[in-house]
Amino acid sequence: MLELFIRKKKIFIAIGIVIFIVFSYLTSQASQYTYSDNSPTVDGGFSNTGHQDFYTIGIDSMDGQFTSYFVKINTTTYPYLYFSLTQYDDQYFSVNATSVGISGIKINGGALQSNGPALLSSDGITADVEIVLDRPISNFKYYRLGFDSGDTSRQIIFKGYERPLGAWNEGYTVAHNGGTSSTVYNYRIYITPNGTTYTPLVPTMPNTTSTGQIITCDSNSGLFQYGLCNLAVYLFQPTTDVLGNWESLGDFLTTKPPLGYFYAVKNSIVTNISTTTTSTIEQPVLFQEGDIFNPFHIMRSAFVWILWIVFAFWVFNRIRHFEL
Amino acid sequence: MITTAILYLLYGAIYLLTSPLRLLGDATLPTEMSDSLTQASHFISNIDFIFPIGILITIVGVVIGIEVSIAIYKVIMWVIRKIPTIS
């Protein structure tokens, strides 16, 4: 077997790369249509309307007791809800939210408050919220974004799912494209009436529904299509367990030597870059970071593409001239 | 089923290959090195908004990781070939 591998190593490597690409695609597809296990029902969410990153967050627990699938504004226990932006390491980022385009609810000093008549459980809300950061946030990192209770524990009560650029992560996190202290993020909040299911603005797999990480075929799509769908799901849909194994393997490799040291160095540098305030090169005030017309943003995007293309070219040549 | 089985097989193979690493402790940087990286980050941050340092570090890390893996494989194969009756 070993000799066979040595003699046919290029074929094995090519097969391995193909399998990896196929699995990556399948996993991404499975993730794209997968809700968080904690969000069997989605009653609302965020939609980023001001940036390239597209994601949607559902709400599955937003009442005063954190048990219902409906948000109640102006409750006795929690008269208002705070917006919060929290880094993964629980470093708190306060935000200022302004200009809500609906009646009955307003943002004041970062708090979501009742404005006028108290909202009833039958009220549906769509609010455009503008959030201005009060400090820089990291590039391409994940943050918790949502409402919290406003008490001392600042419990995050906004749980759901999100799809930043096709990736999937645990609930109540969002990916941000980085931002300076003056970056403005625009969000659209959906809080639907009790019992109404929020339809996320993401593509859905035809004739399938997702619960947890299980895809269920639509039995009304016809016997042939239903059978083929079930067959495809049975044959090619990886189980949650095996995906969890791979996830834990990734976590393991990033914490143990030798790869762990690379990640430690990378995380140390990237984190410090995002938090340092000693920059002497200022962007012109004419542009905001994240603005697609910002020349710095364009150049940065170009460098990102160039770096990954160079890396792909290196991988291609490395395989082409691979010798053991 | 097919995807799951293949993923299990690959996971088992990688788990077996990386099992010695599980005996090691978590990778943590020495304090002095962390401090130096913090200092360096102050300078790097000046160009990070225009040049993606994080991606560059990631790519360099992956390249080094691949080359180190190949080197380790060659060493293991060299040792195996030293065993009599194995060519």
Side-chain angles (χ1 to χ4, degrees), chain B residues 34-49:
Chain B
S34 296
D35 294 340
S36 64
L37 289 174
T38 302
Q39 287 295 322
S41 299
H42 295 324
F43 299 101
I44 295 173
S45 64
N46 289 326
I47 60 170
D48 182 67
F49 74 88

Side-chain angles (χ1 to χ4, degrees), chain A residues 2-3 5-6 19 23 26 139-140 234-239 241-243 245-246 248-249 252-253 255-262 264-266 268-270 272-273 276 278-281 283 296 299-300 303-304 307-308 311 314 318 322-324, chain B residues 1-4 6-8 10-11 14-15 18 21-29 33-34 37-38 41-59 61-68 70 73-74 77 80-81 87:
Chain A
L2 195 60
E3 291 181 359
F5 174 75
I6 293 172
I19 291 174
F23 285 161
L26 285 174
N139 288 332
F140 309 113
Y234 173 69
L235 290 177
F236 299 112
Q237 171 69 20
T239 62
D241 290 342
V242 75
L243 290 178
N245 285 341
W246 281 91
S248 62
L249 185 65
F252 162 74
L253 289 175
T255 54
K256 296 289 185 180
L259 283 179
Y261 286 112
F262 291 117
V265 171
K266 172 185 172 295
S268 178
I269 291 177
V270 171
N272 288 321
I273 285 175
T276 186
T278 59
S279 175
T280 56
I281 302 176
Q283 297 186 51
F296 296 103
M299 291 180 68
R300 197 178 194 282
F303 277 124
V304 169
L307 283 172
W308 283 117
F311 176 68
W314 177 84
R318 195 69 183 81
F322 189 70
E323 292 294 338
L324 286 175
Chain B
M1 183 185 70
I2 294 175
T3 307
T4 301
I6 295 174
L7 284 176
Y8 265 125
L10 288 174
Y11 171 76
I14 295 176
Y15 187 93
T18 57
L21 298 178
R22 295 175 193 277
L23 302 175
L24 303 174
D26 290 347
T28 54
L29 296 176
M33 189 170 183
S34 296
L37 289 174
T38 302
S41 299
H42 295 324
F43 299 101
I44 295 173
S45 64
N46 289 326
I47 60 170
D48 182 67
F49 74 88
I50 197 170
F51 189 84
I53 299 297
I55 292 177
L56 178 67
I57 295 171
T58 301
I59 290 175
V62 171
V63 169
I64 293 174
I66 291 174
E67 294 295 343
V68 168
I70 292 172
Y73 175 80
K74 285 182 176 179
M77 293 304 296
I80 290 175
R81 288 197 179 96
S87 59

